[in-house]
Amino acid sequence: MPTTKLTLEPQLRQQLNLHLVQQMKLLQLGALELDQYVQEAVEANPLLELPPNGAMENWQETDGREYWRRGGERSREDETAPDPLESAARREKTLQQTLLEQLGCQKLEPLERQLACYIIGTLDGNGWWREDVAATARAFGVEPEAVKKALHRVQQMEPAGVGAENLAQCLELQLAQRPEVPELVHQVVREGLELLGENQIPALAKKFHVTNQAVLAAREIICRLDPKPGARYASAGPVPYQREDVWVETGTKGLTLTVHDTWGGKFVLNQEYLDWGKKQASEQVKSYLKEQLGKARQLQQLLRERQQTLLQVFRALVTHQEPFFRRGPGHKQPLKLADLAEETGLAISTVSRALQHKAVGCKWGCFSAGSFLVGESASQAAGTVTEERLQQLIRQTIQGEDKRHPLSDQAICEALERQGIHTARRTVNKYRVKMGIPAKSGRKEWE
């Protein structure tokens, strides 16, 4: 007969409670997202409110100022930030608004005006029209010629080049307003843009049976044209706005680390609700107020823990990257998540969340926190070279070359070797392309 047997077996399982889940959620929020989260929490909790300007009640929290071996750090309370709505009111006109104003001054048939409005509304950020003429004609139930007529009408508007379907047409529309331009310029735009982009001056001279000097003169005219006539106008949509979560100041005594604490010292309890609740006999009301009080205290604790974690993580990050904050771009040090986790004693996942969606401001500009996690790309006698530093060295080497005889990727690699930087040619090629620097032939200056 089968027998039933009971056994005890120890198991180790990790479970996430609600507090830990909320803690991780708040940790990875940026400053603006945190503002929205807290505002929603205050609106949902009748016991929480923000004090009037200048009034601070008893229940509040500030971290004060703490100093460490490299300088100081403090928790900054809310500062007056630029109002995105005020910025929006001062914005310039969009390309579509500019074109529609011009269209309103023209006498057109209703159908042509409708097609022109559609074309203007579907221009991309460069001012080009990338829709299909035949598809647009079918959508409006008209002949393709009607669409082409409306498109031609838009292409005659300012700025010159708007409504073009490709780069060559965009440049041609601008050249049409300059009748004094030599015919060679039109020929290069129509038939030789690809060679011109590759800096193949002799090949263009041979193709059009002219001298190199004539091609260079045509190139100078073409370079003064605007390939993106719509880019100079304000873009439609919401105003992009970013506020730094951390600010680093450089002083004689060291670095001062400031972590924005918009909400840490601004919560107060609604005393009227508390007094009213004490007078109620209903257990349901008392239970509800007790629950909301617990949520209020939990939110305050979550914000305090978030603040302490950010201070801890960014203190370690700023310490590692002190050369950058003092001397600027090109001086970042190799840094990994594991390094920060080891120094702070936190889990790698916690450090990763603390850096997500965070912006670090300093006198050199505003940078994403993740950009300070830098790998090693080359080696030298004194140690390793970061990706940023290697890119800076490659750029400096190219800037100092003889433009009549530019350096190849192998020559750049050899120049770095003479500086004690050991790297491969393919690494030089990768970072040169990443920085948008042309190859040897594209950098050559022809006479």
Side-chain angles (χ1 to χ4, degrees):
M1 286 181 62
T3 58
T4 302
K5 185 178 181 181
L6 297 176
T7 59
L8 294 176
E9 181 179 351
Q11 291 184 347
L12 182 61
R13 286 195 288 178
Q14 183 178 14
Q15 292 183 338
L16 297 178
N17 56 35
L18 180 60
H19 181 84
L20 187 57
V21 172
Q22 292 178 332
Q23 185 183 50
M24 291 187 295
K25 179 181 179 180
L26 261 65
L27 186 60
Q28 63 188 5
L29 294 180
L32 296 179
E33 292 83 0
L34 181 66
D35 286 356
Q36 182 179 359
Y37 177 88
V38 174
Q39 286 177 353
E40 292 175 355
V42 172
E43 292 173 0
N45 193 330
L47 294 183
L48 273 180
E49 64 178 17
L50 301 178
N53 294 334
M56 295 299 294
E57 302 293 339
N58 293 329
W59 189 27
Q60 52 183 289
E61 176 196 1
T62 57
D63 290 334
R65 176 178 293 204
E66 301 173 4
Y67 285 92
W68 46 298
R69 60 186 180 87
R70 293 185 180 271
E73 64 183 26
R74 67 182 183 273
S75 176
R76 177 185 294 174
E77 295 186 357
D78 190 21
E79 294 185 341
T80 303
D83 186 357
L85 297 179
E86 293 182 1
S87 300
R90 295 192 297 266
R91 296 183 72 189
E92 298 178 356
K93 293 180 180 179
T94 65
L95 175 63
Q96 283 72 20
Q97 291 172 334
T98 303
L99 296 176
L100 288 174
E101 288 181 357
Q102 298 177 53
L103 186 66
C105 298
Q106 301 183 23
K107 188 175 181 180
L108 304 175
E109 295 294 331
L111 177 60
E112 186 178 0
R113 183 178 300 277
Q114 185 181 10
L115 289 170
C117 287
Y118 172 78
I119 292 172
I120 291 174
T122 52
L123 295 175
D124 65 9
N126 298 328
W128 295 9
W129 193 63
R130 300 180 183 272
E131 302 293 318
D132 182 64
V133 172
T136 303
R138 288 194 300 269
F140 282 86
V142 298
E143 295 295 327
E145 292 302 322
V147 178
K148 292 180 181 179
K149 182 180 178 181
L151 177 60
H152 179 72
R153 180 77 66 173
V154 173
Q155 291 173 348
Q156 303 309 308
M157 298 180 182
E158 292 292 336
V162 72
E165 299 178 78
N166 51 59
L167 176 59
Q169 187 181 28
C170 179
L171 300 180
E172 278 284 6
L173 289 171
Q174 297 175 58
L175 291 173
Q177 299 185 1
R178 304 173 63 178
E180 75 282 358
V181 170
E183 179 60 25
L184 177 60
V185 179
H186 293 272
Q187 291 179 323
V188 173
V189 169
R190 289 193 299 263
E191 307 172 31
L193 275 182
E194 186 174 349
L195 289 175
L196 185 65
E198 297 173 355
N199 200 30
Q200 299 295 333
I201 304 300
L204 285 170
K206 182 178 180 180
K207 180 176 182 177
F208 297 115
H209 308 289
V210 295
T211 62
N212 286 356
Q213 287 72 19
V215 175
L216 290 173
R219 184 183 68 174
E220 185 177 353
I221 295 175
I222 294 173
C223 288
R224 289 200 292 264
L225 302 178
D226 188 358
K228 301 177 180 179
R232 73 185 76 164
Y233 291 86
S235 58
V239 180
Y241 177 65
Q242 182 183 34
R243 191 182 74 189
E244 67 273 4
D245 300 84
V246 178
W247 183 264
V248 180
E249 299 178 42
T250 306
T252 55
K253 297 182 179 180
L255 300 178
T256 302
L257 171 65
T258 302
V259 178
H260 284 288
D261 182 15
T262 306
W263 301 100
K266 296 294 185 71
F267 288 123
V268 296
L269 287 174
N270 190 320
Q271 194 61 41
E272 293 182 2
Y273 257 100
L274 289 176
D275 296 340
W276 176 80
K278 294 177 181 178
K279 300 176 183 179
Q280 301 302 310
S282 172
E283 293 297 329
Q284 185 177 0
V285 173
K286 291 183 177 180
S287 176
Y288 172 76
L289 292 178
K290 182 179 180 181
E291 179 185 357
Q292 296 304 315
L293 180 60
K295 289 182 178 180
R297 289 173 174 168
Q298 184 183 43
L299 178 61
Q300 190 75 5
Q301 182 181 356
L302 288 171
L303 292 172
R304 187 188 310 115
E305 292 172 351
R306 177 185 183 273
Q307 187 74 4
Q308 292 173 349
T309 303
L310 290 181
L311 285 171
Q312 190 176 1
V313 171
F314 280 100
R315 179 194 303 143
L317 184 145
V318 171
T319 301
H320 278 281
Q321 298 295 358
E322 182 174 356
F324 169 84
F325 293 107
R326 290 194 175 279
R327 290 179 281 177
H331 294 88
K332 289 180 182 177
Q333 303 300 306
L335 182 62
K336 300 178 181 178
L337 281 174
D339 300 329
L340 295 177
E342 181 179 357
E343 182 166 338
T344 58
L346 302 172
I348 292 181
S349 59
T350 302
V351 175
S352 177
R353 290 188 178 92
L355 299 180
Q356 283 183 20
H357 311 119
K358 306 299 188 302
V360 180
C362 63
K363 64 181 180 180
W364 309 109
C366 186
F367 307 86
S368 66
S371 66
F372 292 95
L373 300 175
V374 183
E376 303 171 359
S377 292
S379 60
Q380 58 180 357
T384 58
V385 179
T386 63
E387 297 178 5
E388 183 190 45
R389 179 58 177 165
L390 182 58
Q391 290 182 39
Q392 186 183 51
L393 292 172
I394 293 173
R395 189 183 299 109
Q396 290 175 353
T397 303
I398 292 175
Q399 289 174 348
E401 70 185 0
D402 182 2
K403 298 303 180 182
R404 292 172 297 179
H405 303 89
L407 300 174
S408 64
D409 290 340
Q410 182 60 40
I412 295 174
C413 186
E414 293 172 359
L416 294 175
E417 288 280 352
R418 291 192 290 272
Q419 300 180 45
I421 309 297
H422 307 290
T423 187
R425 183 198 62 80
R426 62 180 179 273
T427 304
V428 172
N429 177 269
K430 180 180 76 172
Y431 289 120
R432 177 182 58 75
V433 173
K434 183 178 180 180
M435 291 185 289
I437 299 176
K440 173 184 176 181
S441 60
R443 303 195 306 272
K444 182 177 176 63
E445 291 185 358
W446 300 90
E447 298 179 352

